[in-house]
Amino acid sequence: MSDIIQLLPDSVANQIAAGEVIQRPASVVKELVENAIDAGASNINVIIVDAGRTSIQVIDDGKGMSETDARLSFERHATSKIRKADDLFSLHTMGFRGEALASIAAVAQIDLKTRMEGEDLGTQLTISGSRFVGQEPCACPVGSNFTVENLFFNVPARRKFLKSNTTELNNIITAFERIVLVYPQISFTLHSNGTELFNLRSCSYRQRIVEVFGKRLNQDLLPIGVDTSLCRIHGFVGKPESARKKVLQQYFFVNERYMKHAYFHKAVMTAFDRLIPQGEQIPYFLYFEVPAENIDVNIHPTKTEIKFENEQAIWQILLASVKEAVGKFNDVPSIDFDTEGKPDIPVFNPNGSTSAPKISFNPQYNPFKQSSQPQRTTNTESWESLYAGLDTNTETPQTDLFGQEDTPVGNVDNGETIISSVATAPDATAMIEDKSPTHYQYKGSYIMTAVKSGLMIINQHRAHVRILYEAYLRQLSEHKVHSQKVLFPEMVQFSVSDSVILEHILPEMTEMGFQLDNLGGGSYAVNGVPAGIEGLNAVTLITDMVAAAIESGTHVKEEIDHVLALSLARNAAIPQGQVLSNSEMESIVNELFACSNVNYTPSGTPIIAIMQQHDIEHLFDS
């Protein structure tokens, strides 16, 4: 029997490795920029065409490579960073495996120009799909100039499954931001299709954060600094007032390397316990400096997950440092000149005489003595007028009125009672016809009304979300824009990555009634908002809608419409706890039952529950 196990050719092995290392154009940008940093570059320029599909160019002024090193750098596991296995536990560079260039060369066409200082001529190298096409001397500046073209040209399946240009460009910007935030001493630029997105000069950590995410973030940052024998932590954390439901500015860096760490994230959020509403997040930019032998960065293909030797102790240090920063911020007194409605507290006079307060009471008061006031009587005359608005049928027995004709769906046994939802559209139509015209609001959150099958309970906020959601979708489909001009336009600031998404969804937002004018530099003027949302904070609303679009990562128009309509409906819907009149409750019930789905919100949470008549009667069985 012949042998069946064979060694794979290098070109095939490189493509397999590229499946882990090079997942999208953003991976190429990350690897090439990290190589430029390891080469000691002080200026790095990134040029993107068609979100990296057509070309990615990274130019640096680092050390450069010799003719031999340039050729050897594209071989698998060829690296200048480590020499032996023990070096893996004392890493001080971004790259170390020697897989990046080989993986990129396996799935793209590469042109490299590089020159070392002191040499008259540099080297130009051309590679296509792991095959060396040519190598020749060339004139070029000191450093390296990588041009990666036609990514995944020889792997059509991988190229086909790339996302839209907007999504891929946003991924590139995200990878770029993670690098520039940790190297403020290096100058970076990023161009996309000839447009400059970033131009970052050498500066401090705080200034780099502000340049990347906008000036408005500067006033919300609290500095953190702690130095212990285990680690050194410095950086910034947001004030409690900066808490948002969706916060994307959350970054951990260890030894100048970006990382994801859910355990340390919990430490930061624990420090803000009871200071921010539940479910909201805080922005933070935290830099850890830990001895290289105490961490392991070689546990994930993209090196974003890192294992710490003293994880629990560092957790406690991080928690204490964040609490200290927040505590110092809260200790600073604020001057408030708004004294309207405040009690008038007199200034203490040490020379004046002060008398003890006196208590006045009635010594003759007897709580058991009968009151001389007349007893309250109840007038039972004309009691029929109280029920004049109700439709009654004396010929129909009561058992028929509350008969069990509706078949509940998804009954939930809750011990004593069974709560069910409305089943189908015919059931909903029959139910709305037999409902009581008088409604009761329970704790400002639920609308309760009698129906044929029992007691219907409606979550008023969720019902209004469903009503507004379908109304906004109807406006978008019919192109019926109702916009309200604002008297004093507000300005909303976005980072570069958020601006890319906003420009993508701006046509849909305009159809919904928003009027945003680009002022440049990530700033937009809010000149109009949809009619009917007066009183809402337009800046917060637009920020939440952009965050929802980023989270969904969608690029299909129908899905964008769904995301924007749902986000706007959630913000504009009546809140829990708002007291409603009977006519307002009647309007909500009628509009809800006119919707396509009365049972669930667009996100799938239930709106209606039915307490069956026989279960109500069972509660009073002797």
Side-chain angles (χ1 to χ4, degrees):
M1 185 177 180
S2 60
D3 299 330
I4 60 175
I5 296 179
Q6 297 179 355
L7 285 174
L8 291 174
D10 287 343
S11 59
V12 178
N14 287 337
Q15 284 197 18
I16 295 174
E20 294 182 346
V21 181
I22 308 302
Q23 301 172 351
R24 52 177 52 95
S27 306
V28 177
V29 174
K30 170 183 175 294
E31 298 294 345
L32 293 181
V33 173
E34 287 181 350
N35 282 348
I37 293 172
D38 288 339
S42 58
N43 294 279
I44 300 175
N45 303 318
V46 182
I47 303 172
I48 306 296
V49 179
D50 295 336
R53 296 172 186 265
T54 302
S55 74
I56 299 171
Q57 188 175 10
V58 178
I59 307 170
D60 68 75
D61 59 354
K63 298 175 182 177
M65 290 181 284
S66 65
E67 181 180 352
T68 305
D69 285 347
R71 178 70 179 262
L72 193 59
S73 64
F74 290 95
E75 298 294 334
R76 288 191 70 202
H77 306 301
T79 179
S80 62
K81 316 297 174 54
I82 61 176
R83 291 289 181 267
K84 55 185 184 297
D86 292 342
D87 293 340
L88 287 172
F89 303 100
S90 59
L91 293 170
H92 298 280
T93 56
M94 298 293 288
F96 55 86
R97 294 175 183 153
E99 290 182 324
L101 291 181
S103 299
I104 297 171
V107 293
Q109 298 168 342
I110 296 181
D111 182 79
L112 167 63
K113 295 179 182 179
T114 182
R115 180 170 74 89
M116 296 183 67
E117 189 175 2
E119 294 184 354
D120 296 331
L121 290 176
T123 301
Q124 181 174 5
L125 209 63
T126 305
I127 302 175
S128 178
S130 294
R131 292 186 302 105
F132 281 90
V133 177
Q135 181 175 355
E136 59 185 5
C138 71
C140 61
V142 174
S144 299
N145 183 340
F146 281 90
T147 302
V148 180
E149 297 179 332
N150 301 324
L151 186 64
F152 299 129
F153 78 101
N154 54 352
V155 193
R158 294 289 300 276
R159 189 174 178 89
K160 177 183 177 182
F161 284 100
L162 288 177
K163 304 296 184 181
S164 66
N165 282 358
T166 301
T167 303
E168 294 299 342
L169 178 59
N170 197 50
N171 289 330
I172 291 174
I173 293 174
T174 300
F176 186 80
E177 289 172 347
R178 292 173 178 176
I179 297 174
V180 301
L181 287 174
V182 79
Y183 291 100
Q185 71 276 13
I186 301 177
S187 298
F188 293 91
T189 64
L190 175 62
H191 292 77
S192 174
N193 296 336
T195 303
E196 183 180 84
L197 301 181
F198 287 100
N199 189 345
L200 308 172
R201 300 296 94 191
S202 178
C203 58
S204 64
Y205 282 100
R206 188 183 191 115
Q207 185 62 29
R208 177 57 57 88
I209 293 171
V210 172
E211 287 182 355
V212 172
F213 295 108
K215 297 179 180 178
R216 295 191 63 179
L217 186 62
N218 188 32
Q219 60 189 4
D220 293 330
L221 296 179
L222 299 175
I224 287 180
V226 60
D227 196 353
T228 67
S229 59
L230 288 178
C231 67
R232 177 176 179 263
I233 304 175
H234 65 98
F236 303 91
V237 67
K239 297 178 182 177
E241 295 83 34
S242 65
R244 297 288 184 271
K245 290 183 179 179
K246 296 184 177 82
V247 173
L248 304 178
Q249 293 86 24
Q250 295 179 334
Y251 293 88
F252 286 123
F253 303 96
V254 56
N255 294 357
E256 299 182 331
R257 185 190 302 277
Y258 170 79
M259 71 168 179
K260 297 177 181 178
H261 210 292
Y263 190 48
F264 288 167
H265 171 77
K266 183 179 179 182
V268 176
M269 300 312 300
T270 302
F272 285 90
D273 192 23
R274 299 183 182 180
L275 294 179
I276 61 175
Q278 189 174 6
E280 294 194 354
Q281 300 287 320
I282 285 287
Y284 54 77
F285 307 86
L286 297 175
Y287 302 82
F288 296 77
E289 293 181 14
V290 184
E293 59 272 12
N294 291 343
I295 60 174
D296 185 1
V297 301
N298 195 26
I299 63 173
H300 194 271
T302 59
K303 309 166 193 169
T304 56
E305 296 180 9
I306 297 176
K307 184 65 178 176
F308 287 76
E309 183 177 343
N310 303 300
E311 197 170 70
Q312 196 165 9
I314 295 176
W315 192 93
Q316 296 290 345
I317 295 172
L318 176 60
L319 175 62
S321 61
V322 175
K323 281 188 174 181
E324 181 185 15
V326 177
K328 287 182 178 179
F329 163 70
N330 289 331
D331 284 343
V332 178
S334 60
I335 302 176
D336 188 3
F337 294 99
D338 185 12
T339 59
E340 183 179 356
K342 303 292 180 66
D344 186 13
I345 302 176
V347 179
F348 175 69
N349 183 9
N351 298 325
S353 59
T354 304
S355 59
K358 297 181 180 180
I359 301 175
S360 59
F361 61 95
N362 182 11
Q364 304 299 326
Y365 174 72
N366 185 358
F368 300 101
K369 185 177 180 180
Q370 288 188 352
S371 174
S372 59
Q373 296 180 355
Q375 295 289 333
R376 182 178 177 181
T377 59
T378 302
N379 186 9
T380 58
E381 298 180 1
S382 303
W383 61 269
E384 297 90 344
S385 62
L386 298 174
Y387 301 92
L390 296 177
D391 294 334
T392 57
N393 188 353
T394 56
E395 297 179 359
T396 305
Q398 187 176 1
T399 55
D400 293 335
L401 179 63
F402 296 97
Q404 306 300 322
E405 297 178 3
D406 293 325
T407 304
V409 175
N411 291 349
V412 179
D413 192 353
N414 192 18
E416 297 180 349
T417 62
I418 298 177
I419 305 297
S420 63
S421 60
V422 181
T424 59
D427 294 335
T429 303
M431 184 176 299
I432 195 66
E433 291 175 353
D434 295 328
K435 71 174 178 61
S436 169
T438 304
H439 310 282
Y440 170 72
Q441 189 179 27
Y442 178 68
K443 291 190 175 181
S445 300
Y446 303 96
I447 299 173
M448 306 178 71
T449 186
V451 293
K452 191 172 184 180
S453 59
L455 181 64
M456 179 171 64
I457 306 171
I458 301 174
N459 186 306
Q460 67 184 38
H461 173 73
R462 294 179 180 177
H464 204 207
V465 168
R466 164 57 71 177
I467 295 168
L468 293 178
Y469 168 76
E470 296 198 2
Y472 293 141
L473 282 185
R474 197 159 49 247
Q475 286 184 16
L476 289 171
S477 62
E478 298 173 358
H479 302 285
K480 292 183 178 180
V481 180
H482 303 284
S483 182
Q484 177 69 43
K485 291 279 188 178
V486 296
L487 187 59
F488 301 102
E490 295 187 73
M491 189 180 75
V492 56
Q493 182 81 28
F494 289 102
S495 64
V496 175
S497 57
D498 292 349
S499 297
V500 172
I501 299 297
L502 176 60
E503 289 294 335
H504 181 60
I505 65 175
L506 195 55
E508 285 75 17
M509 294 187 67
T510 303
E511 289 185 2
M512 298 185 75
F514 288 97
Q515 294 184 16
L516 301 178
D517 293 337
N518 192 347
L519 304 178
S523 299
Y524 293 81
V526 184
N527 293 316
V529 296
I533 66 167
E534 293 80 5
L536 293 180
N537 188 325
V539 173
T540 304
L541 175 60
I542 294 172
T543 304
D544 289 345
M545 294 176 72
V546 173
I550 294 174
E551 187 179 22
S552 65
T554 182
H555 59 277
V556 181
K557 184 182 184 304
E558 290 74 15
E559 296 178 358
I560 294 175
D561 292 346
H562 160 74
V563 171
L564 296 182
L566 180 57
S567 178
L568 183 57
R570 284 173 173 170
N571 283 275
I574 55 176
Q576 300 282 11
Q578 180 172 328
V579 179
L580 304 175
S581 64
N582 188 74
S583 59
E584 291 172 329
M585 290 187 283
E586 177 74 9
S587 176
I588 288 178
V589 173
N590 291 335
E591 291 180 14
L592 174 64
F593 278 85
C595 294
S596 60
N597 188 339
V598 301
N599 287 327
Y600 299 99
T601 63
S603 56
T605 54
I607 300 174
I608 293 179
I610 303 293
M611 183 178 290
Q612 300 294 330
Q613 175 66 20
H614 63 82
D615 294 312
I616 298 176
E617 294 173 351
H618 178 67
L619 295 174
F620 298 95
D621 289 344
S622 57

